[in-house]
Each structure stands twice: as structure tokens, then as C-alpha cells.
Amino acid sequence: LIPLRGHLFHRTQGGIWACCNRACAGRKETPLDSPEWPFGMVYMERRERCDAPDCGSKVYEVVFCDSCGEEYLSAEEKVVDEQSVLLPYTIDVNEDDAEDEGLVDEENPDEEPSPLPSSFPRLVTDPRFVQVPATVDRITGVVAGSGQHSIQLGLTPQEDGFRCHRCGQKEKRPGQIFRPARSGAAFQLLMSIPTLLEHTPPIAEKATNVPFGGRRLITFSDS
């Protein structure tokens, strides 16, 4: 029925997480122990705290700039018990949200605006790349805290969209440029289908007005 049949077994990647402590003991004597990496130990599974000896710092998800590949930590600054706390935050990369961008509710133009939010997304980066670094307790996540667990972090404000300090690109909606390291079945098919079709013989020599010369591909995934 088809010239090629393949069974591909792969492990999906649900994200990458990193310790916020640059002095984390888990990065020592590893490729992470480099001036270019501003964070601590890296984990392939979600967790709340770092497991490295004498660390225990908070762990946040790593996101990358789609334009230049610069890495950040995704966090949320939230007021808890009258204190600003830096909590883990998951960036939503659902592109369907873009369809509602720019729409105005014409039926209720005088409707009162929504109340001010109590939490704010933040991108955590090297403190050298921001004008005013923030002092954060690496154990509790309290911003402007003081004590033996306090470290310096660069908190990038979202304002009307995050901007990459390296390449200068700015997003128009959340998740447009800064994305987590996730790859599921849909991503694997997106990468493999064009290559498979390119090396498959066309269905008919005169099939020039159809995509890929009439080549056909059937795929399905089963978890």
C-alpha cells in the first residue's frame, strides 16, 4: 500500500527545569559550571526544590528565546501574606489565543476595566543584564528578602510583552517568543513528515498541481 512503513518509538520531552542558585553545588565539575550559565543544576522533570547537597533552592522552568536561543527561567511574582514571592510559572504556548488578539467588545464599550492583577509574570536572567537586580531568598522565593540565603537575580518585567536582552526581540502576546523546551508527538511529526515525503516517490508523474506531487502519508500516535 505504501513504499515505507515505520514504527518510531520516542520519549516526549515535557520541559526543562533549573535551580535558581548560580552557586549551586550540583553544577560543579559539570558542563554547567561555566560563566555563560547563570543558574544551577538542570532537571528533566518538574520539581519544587534543588536536590543538590547544601542547596535546596527553588526550581523554575527554563524557557528559550525563539530568535536567538537565550535561556531564562519562567517565574511569577505574587503577593503572599503581604510579601512578594517568586513562584514557578508555566508559559502557555497555545497559539489559538492569537485569534482573539486585538478584539474589542463593542457591545459593552463602557464596561468597567478588570481589577489590577495580584501576580505578574517574570523572566529570570543573569543580574548583569538588568538595571536593578532583585534580591531574592533562594529557599522561600521572597523578593527583597535578606539573610544568608539571599541571592541576586535579574527579573525582567513583562510590561506589554517580554523583550530578550540579547537580541532585542519583543513578543506581542505571551508565549510568542519565549517558549519552554517541550516536544510531543505533534512536534515530532511536524519535523519528520516533510523529510519522509521528500524522499518518497510521487504518486503520478503529472501530479504537479497537488502538494508533494500527490505523495501520501498516514500517521497515528499511541501513548
Side-chain angles (χ1 to χ4, degrees):
L1 297 179
I2 51 178
L4 175 67
R5 179 174 180 175
H7 295 262
L8 309 180
F9 296 87
H10 66 89
R11 179 180 179 181
T12 58
Q13 178 60 49
I16 299 176
W17 291 263
C19 168
C20 65
N21 182 19
R22 186 179 192 131
C24 174
R27 59 175 281 170
K28 294 182 179 180
E29 299 181 358
T30 72
L32 298 175
D33 196 6
S34 167
E36 298 180 358
W37 178 245
F39 309 117
M41 185 64 178
V42 170
Y43 297 96
M44 306 305 290
E45 296 179 354
R46 186 188 305 272
R47 64 190 61 211
E48 294 292 331
R49 300 192 178 278
C50 180
D51 294 339
D54 300 325
C55 187
S57 303
K58 294 187 74 66
V59 173
Y60 303 92
E61 187 170 11
V62 181
V63 296
F64 298 91
C65 173
D66 262 0
S67 179
C68 66
E70 183 72 1
E71 62 278 337
Y72 298 84
L73 299 184
S74 175
E76 176 186 37
E77 187 175 351
K78 189 173 184 178
V79 178
V80 179
D81 296 333
E82 299 182 354
Q83 289 182 318
S84 292
V85 182
L86 206 61
L87 302 175
Y89 180 76
T90 300
I91 293 181
D92 185 6
V93 294
N94 185 6
E95 297 181 354
D96 294 338
D97 295 340
E99 298 179 359
D100 298 331
E101 185 176 338
L103 296 181
V104 178
D105 188 359
E106 298 180 353
E107 296 181 358
N108 301 295
D110 299 328
E111 185 177 354
E112 294 183 2
S114 301
L116 294 176
S118 59
S119 61
F120 305 89
R122 296 282 187 258
L123 288 182
V124 182
T125 184
D126 193 313
R128 298 175 298 173
F129 301 137
V130 298
Q131 293 182 351
V132 182
T135 302
V136 180
D137 190 303
R138 61 181 178 84
I139 303 297
T140 63
V142 174
V143 181
S146 59
Q148 61 177 345
H149 300 307
S150 296
I151 59 175
Q152 295 288 309
L153 296 176
L155 302 185
T156 303
Q158 186 183 39
E159 298 177 352
D160 55 343
F162 285 124
R163 182 186 297 275
C164 179
H165 69 79
R166 182 178 179 183
C167 65
Q169 290 293 326
K170 185 177 182 180
E171 63 182 9
K172 296 181 179 179
R173 65 178 186 276
Q176 180 187 27
I177 295 179
F178 301 96
R179 296 175 175 268
R182 302 175 194 156
S183 61
F187 175 81
Q188 303 291 347
L189 292 176
L190 179 66
M191 296 295 103
S192 60
I193 285 177
T195 302
L196 291 174
L197 290 179
E198 180 182 357
H199 295 282
T200 302
I203 299 300
E205 296 181 357
K206 297 182 179 180
T208 58
N209 297 325
V210 293
F212 286 101
R215 298 174 178 90
R216 301 170 184 176
L217 185 72
I218 299 175
T219 68
F220 70 92
S221 61
D222 184 1
S223 59

